[in-house]
Amino acid sequence: MKPRIRVPANFGKEHINSPVHGNIKLKLKDGQEIKVNSIIMSLNSPVIDNLTSNLTQSTLEMDDFTNSAVDCFVESMYTGDVEKLEKLNFEDVNKMAHVFKVGWLSKKCVLFYKTDILKFENNSYREIEFACEIASRAHFHLKQKQFVSLFVKHVTFDLVSKNTFLQRYLAGFAKVPRRRIDTSLAVASKDLNIIGNCLTAYLSSNFECAKFDENVLYLLQKLDIGKFSQTYPSQFEELVNFLSEILEESESACDEVKSTITSFIKRRRTIVEKGEEIQDTDNATSEMQLDDFEGLEDIIDCGCKDVQSQTANVRSVWRRPLKSQWEVIQPSTPIQSVQFLTLGETEQRIRLLFTFPADERPAPMKTLGRKFEMRCENDDTSVWSYLIYGCIKTVFNSQFLYNVPRDKVKHWTVTKTFTHLNVTCNDVTVLNFNFATDHSTGFENSSQVWVGNCSSVLFWTTYAENLLLKSQVT
């Protein structure tokens, strides 16, 4: 039985390469070796514990990583600190923390990325590109989305500098890896006109469908045309017309190219006809099985009593809602409690709209005065801000839900009573708003807007995934 020692801990770096208790050899590049103690390494890493205790390995190959990174990794295991972590070995150290499941070291890497790598001395393109590529590779190779989120949140661009950066970042478009395209879309955010301009400039030099490469097709499939058309309608229209012209003038286009462009143009027509944002095909089905929800194991094990108690009914009760589309939920009692599960994701939003019997119809524009909205400001620290229309100023990042648990999976319940709006997260009350007394100055009539019983609740979210909505309102 291993001793009950909490890591990180300082075991003394002077014991690295000890001839007495260095019973494990780490083989580095160029034939170098480091002798380490299996107990110290196993206390930090369950992977190394399995390799040494169960598989009885006494030699571990480390030639996939730089010597500097391995040296930093080992010293961190022995000291509980990251003194040797630097920009040049960061990616390999972060990869080792991920591969060997050293949780505390992964958190140190995230902090180092935020405080050191995102700290630019000259604010040059090379510095920003270096940080962006680290985030892009971590997302693509290790499925670590937090680095891209940190980059987007902490790197401040004005529209001109963002445009300049993305033009250089996507230069040589035909040969850039697809992960760069995904990262560029994240960096562009709502300024998708920049991506559209890059695409138009690239296609202008290859004005034939036959010369469409895989990256062009990939970008056309990934581009959020709903957001693009609503934010920059004229530039979006120019791109659609440009693609239509290419399609009409080329007779040698392959079926895949024709299909992709035709689909893109068709989705644009649907937007014009319906006057609303089009959903990605991945989010077109609202009745998703619980098995499709990323992190199912975390949900089942997270202690959410409601989920655990559902047993056979879990899959019929919990579902993934449509992204950016209002859904009407019918309450069964005068006290409406809407429940949903989230798996983080900074800057994602959730809206609830409460309608009264006196309302003509449950349309969002008819009841803006009774809308509750919440947004994740920082997933790592569980910071969430909220808005209550008609009661407080509708500015995000100014009113916050308090004591939100830092659990990865969050089970939310939003309840509107006759006089209050209450929010709990994993059984912790994070908001209990009294319409009559808790309103901001200038909103003295808030109780007249909110007090009463509802006839229905509407749900809306920007989550593409990582959110499950309970189909029943109790």
Side-chain angles (χ1 to χ4, degrees):
M1 181 178 179
K2 292 185 296 184
R4 295 179 179 178
I5 300 175
R6 292 180 64 86
V7 291
N10 190 351
F11 299 99
K13 63 181 178 181
E14 65 272 14
H15 299 302
I16 299 173
N17 277 319
S18 169
V20 178
H21 55 71
N23 59 332
I24 300 295
K25 291 182 180 180
L26 304 182
K27 301 193 71 173
L28 283 62
K29 293 180 178 180
D30 305 326
Q32 297 184 46
E33 293 181 350
I34 299 178
K35 293 181 180 180
V36 296
N37 180 264
S38 60
I39 296 296
I40 293 176
M41 301 299 285
S42 295
L43 284 169
N44 285 279
S45 166
V47 174
I48 294 179
D49 184 26
N50 180 58
L51 291 172
T52 57
S53 300
N54 299 327
L55 302 180
T56 64
Q57 293 191 25
S58 59
T59 300
L60 301 180
E61 300 289 342
M62 294 288 187
D63 54 0
D64 283 343
F65 313 102
T66 63
N67 290 3
S68 171
V70 177
D71 189 34
C72 174
F73 179 78
V74 171
E75 184 169 306
S76 298
M77 300 301 98
Y78 271 73
T79 65
D81 207 345
V82 288
E83 290 184 0
K84 289 190 175 182
L85 184 60
E86 56 188 23
K87 292 182 178 181
L88 293 180
N89 65 19
F90 171 81
E91 283 194 86
D92 270 358
V93 174
N94 179 59
K95 183 178 180 181
M96 294 176 76
H98 177 81
V99 169
F100 294 108
K101 296 185 178 180
V102 185
W104 70 265
L105 182 56
S106 291
K107 292 179 181 179
K108 291 277 190 180
C109 287
V110 171
L111 181 61
F112 183 87
Y113 180 82
K114 181 178 178 181
T115 58
D116 290 67
I117 293 180
L118 289 180
K119 183 179 180 180
F120 307 131
E121 295 181 5
N122 303 311
N123 211 36
S124 66
Y125 170 76
R126 291 302 176 192
E127 289 177 305
I128 300 174
E129 181 196 31
F130 178 77
C132 188
E133 278 292 87
I134 287 177
S136 179
R137 287 190 287 263
H139 188 190
F140 182 78
H141 296 295
L142 307 179
K143 309 304 179 186
Q144 295 177 325
K145 296 185 289 186
Q146 62 267 40
F147 291 105
V148 173
S149 297
L150 284 171
F151 180 86
V152 171
K153 183 174 182 179
H154 292 281
V155 178
T156 303
F157 291 108
D158 57 35
L159 192 57
V160 175
S161 60
K162 183 188 287 189
N163 182 50
T164 302
F165 173 76
L166 289 175
Q167 283 183 347
R168 295 186 65 178
Y169 191 64
L170 291 174
F173 185 76
K175 295 182 179 180
V176 301
R178 287 188 176 181
R179 60 172 178 78
R180 277 205 174 202
I181 298 175
D182 292 331
T183 305
S184 296
L185 290 170
V187 173
S189 185
K190 64 179 181 180
D191 300 315
L192 291 176
N193 61 312
I194 298 175
I195 303 297
N197 291 339
C198 290
L199 179 59
T200 302
Y202 174 70
L203 290 177
S204 296
S205 62
N206 297 276
F207 198 77
E208 294 181 21
C209 276
K211 293 183 179 179
F212 269 45
D213 51 60
E214 293 182 355
N215 278 353
V216 172
L217 301 180
Y218 180 75
L219 177 55
L220 289 176
Q221 293 166 354
K222 296 286 288 186
L223 196 59
D224 188 336
I225 65 174
K227 183 188 295 183
F228 190 0
S229 64
Q230 289 182 354
T231 310
Y232 296 94
S234 60
Q235 283 138 308
F236 174 73
E237 197 69 22
E238 289 176 6
L239 177 59
V240 172
N241 292 338
F242 184 75
L243 292 174
S244 300
E245 188 176 351
I246 293 177
L247 187 62
E248 290 173 2
E249 295 194 7
S250 179
E251 299 179 355
S252 57
C254 66
D255 291 339
E256 183 182 8
V257 170
K258 288 182 178 179
S259 175
T260 301
I261 297 179
T262 302
S263 175
F264 187 89
I265 296 172
K266 183 178 180 181
R267 290 166 67 195
R268 169 259 183 187
R269 288 172 180 165
T270 305
I271 289 175
V272 173
E273 292 170 0
K274 292 187 176 182
E276 59 187 22
E277 181 176 343
I278 300 302
Q279 306 301 312
D280 294 334
T281 54
D282 291 340
N283 303 313
T285 304
S286 60
E287 296 296 332
M288 301 291 289
Q289 294 295 320
L290 190 62
D291 298 292
D292 295 332
F293 187 67
E294 181 181 341
L296 170 63
E297 299 83 1
D298 294 324
I299 295 176
I300 299 302
D301 296 333
C302 74
C304 296
K305 298 177 182 178
D306 187 74
V307 176
Q308 291 177 325
S309 66
Q310 295 296 330
T311 59
N313 295 324
V314 154
R315 287 164 177 79
S316 62
V317 173
W318 295 92
R319 62 185 177 83
R320 181 181 291 127
L322 291 172
K323 176 186 175 184
S324 301
Q325 186 165 319
W326 288 102
E327 297 186 45
V328 179
I329 306 172
Q330 296 295 336
S332 57
T333 69
I335 299 179
Q336 295 84 33
S337 294
V338 180
Q339 298 185 45
F340 49 93
L341 299 167
T342 62
L343 269 169
E345 295 201 57
T346 300
E347 296 188 354
Q348 297 296 343
R349 291 179 292 156
I350 296 161
R351 294 175 183 167
L352 292 175
L353 197 69
F354 299 89
T355 65
F356 283 13
D359 296 326
E360 295 179 14
R361 56 191 177 91
M365 295 306 296
K366 290 287 185 180
T367 51
L368 283 177
R370 290 191 294 275
K371 183 167 67 176
F372 170 74
E373 192 164 356
M374 52 190 282
R375 184 174 78 174
C376 180
E377 303 296 347
N378 190 316
D379 184 29
D380 296 330
T381 56
S382 285
V383 176
W384 289 71
S385 64
Y386 72 94
L387 308 175
I388 302 179
Y389 285 66
C391 294
I392 57 178
K393 292 182 179 180
T394 53
V395 178
F396 272 121
N397 222 3
S398 57
Q399 298 92 202
F400 300 94
L401 303 176
Y402 289 101
N403 300 318
V404 177
R406 293 196 177 187
D407 303 328
K408 182 179 180 182
V409 178
K410 293 178 172 57
H411 180 186
W412 301 88
T413 301
V414 180
T415 302
K416 183 199 172 299
T417 66
F418 193 86
T419 58
H420 285 71
L421 186 72
N422 180 272
V423 181
T424 64
C425 179
N426 293 355
D427 296 326
V428 175
T429 298
V430 296
L431 179 68
N432 189 29
F433 192 94
N434 186 318
F435 302 127
T437 61
D438 295 339
H439 57 76
S440 300
T441 303
F443 294 88
E444 286 73 17
N445 295 327
S446 61
S447 60
Q448 298 179 17
V449 176
W450 278 88
V451 170
N453 294 327
C454 294
S455 57
S456 64
V457 182
L458 287 81
F459 186 90
W460 182 97
T461 182
T462 59
Y463 278 86
E465 52 186 29
N466 288 354
L467 183 145
L468 289 180
L469 173 66
K470 191 173 183 181
S471 300
Q472 303 168 349
V473 179
T474 58

